[in-house]
Amino acid sequence: MGFVASSKPRRIDQLLANGGYCSRSEARVWLRMGRVTVDGVRAIDPGAKVDPTAVRVDSEPLDAPDDLLVLMHKPAGRVCSHDVREGPSVYDLLPPRWQDRNPVVTTVGRLDKDTTGVLLLTDVGSLVQQWTSPRHKVPKVYEVTVDKPIPVTLVEIFARGELMLEDEERPCQPAVLEILSPKEARLELTEGRFHQVKRMFEAHGLNVTRLHRSRFGAYTLDDLAPGTWRMLTIPGPEEENATVGSEKGAVA
Ligand code: URA
């Protein structure tokens, strides 16, 4: 399975509509107004097939003409949901026009509202499937604080892969627990069940009071501030878990 971004020629009106800029009929108007150029030349025909990287709207390049992959430092207090009834969302931190992109931009798995850290977002459905499938065992690392001292025996219990969570039929996959201080630990999981970290500790009488994901696959936050994000290059098949260079910043 390959995830190489395509820059193959596309219709101008389709590019603008799929990028969330405007509808296809509005694109005709934008072209008539002279807002769109291709290779520096004013575009006229909405059906013309053009190289997406050569297109400018109001003199600006298209923000993400091809497949999209974003690394966000999720702040606390935001949900990974498109449903506005659930409150402030991680999607509100992205350019507003991305809400109208087609295909839709979604998170790769979810983090709870109070969880912070590495969150990937993409419009490549196959990437979401692959990176969230337990079969692919993508490592995820969490920094955990709990309300009581962590028993050393938990290291062995988590490692054995025999921990049963309530209402689940299969035990958790083996997980690596490193105790950093009496109430702090680092936990590496290769699956991503609903509230998994919190439930694993709760199964042993400990409540998680702080949860931060410091790594997803090979992706880490580096100096990314909470609430900000950067674009990533979609990895090729031979480097599916690698950060293949990144382009920092936000899109106006
Ligand atoms: N496990 C949890 O309990 N919550 C998260 O947000 C992520 C993993």
Side-chain angles (χ1 to χ4, degrees), residues 4-229:
V4 179
S6 66
S7 266
K8 59 177 191 289
R10 310 237 307 269
R11 284 179 63 113
I12 298 180
D13 54 357
Q14 198 178 46
L15 261 177
L16 298 186
N18 290 355
Y21 283 84
C22 58
S23 67
R24 279 174 78 161
S25 54
E26 283 165 347
R28 290 176 175 277
V29 180
W30 284 31
L31 263 62
R32 276 205 297 273
M33 290 167 74
R35 295 181 65 180
V36 185
T37 60
V38 179
D39 281 326
V41 178
R42 186 175 161 178
I44 294 172
D45 177 7
K49 289 195 170 179
V50 297
D51 172 0
T53 61
V55 176
R56 300 286 178 274
V57 176
D58 299 333
S59 306
E60 295 291 329
L62 298 178
D63 44 45
D66 294 310
D67 296 340
L68 187 88
L69 178 62
V70 162
L71 168 64
M72 179 183 284
H73 185 163
K74 182 192 173 294
R78 295 211 172 241
V79 293
C80 296
S81 168
H82 285 287
D83 186 343
V84 291
R85 291 169 303 184
E86 293 188 34
S89 158
V90 292
Y91 297 107
D92 301 336
L93 299 171
L94 299 173
R97 63 173 161 258
W98 287 16
Q99 311 255 3
D100 295 322
R101 278 180 71 96
N102 179 17
V104 174
V105 178
T106 60
T107 58
V108 179
R110 289 183 175 210
L111 290 177
D112 297 336
K113 189 171 181 177
D114 55 353
T115 302
T116 58
V118 178
L119 181 66
L120 296 176
L121 300 105
T122 184
D123 61 358
V124 184
S126 55
L127 209 51
V128 176
Q129 264 183 352
Q130 168 147 2
W131 282 350
T132 55
S133 159
R135 275 192 307 123
H136 285 93
K137 297 191 189 305
V138 176
K140 282 147 295 235
V141 177
Y142 296 89
E143 314 296 326
V144 191
T145 307
V146 291
D147 61 344
K148 291 188 267 304
I150 304 165
V152 188
T153 49
L154 227 48
V155 175
E156 176 59 24
I157 293 171
F158 284 3
R160 275 206 300 266
E162 292 169 3
L163 181 72
M164 289 300 295
L165 298 175
E166 214 175 298
D167 299 329
E168 301 241 357
E169 287 170 1
R170 285 175 302 106
C172 294
Q173 289 291 312
V176 181
L177 179 68
E178 187 187 347
I179 299 178
L180 305 173
S181 77
K183 294 183 185 175
E184 290 172 315
R186 182 169 297 133
L187 180 63
E188 180 171 330
L189 301 181
T190 57
E191 48 184 357
R193 303 187 196 189
F194 185 60
H195 297 321
Q196 182 164 353
V197 176
K198 292 175 183 167
R199 289 163 72 209
M200 286 174 77
F201 281 95
E202 268 162 26
H204 291 273
L206 301 170
N207 291 313
V208 172
T209 56
R210 178 184 167 268
L211 187 55
H212 175 83
R213 183 156 70 189
S214 54
R215 187 156 75 82
F216 185 106
Y219 297 102
T220 55
L221 293 169
D222 303 321
D223 57 353
L224 206 55
T228 66
W229 53 273

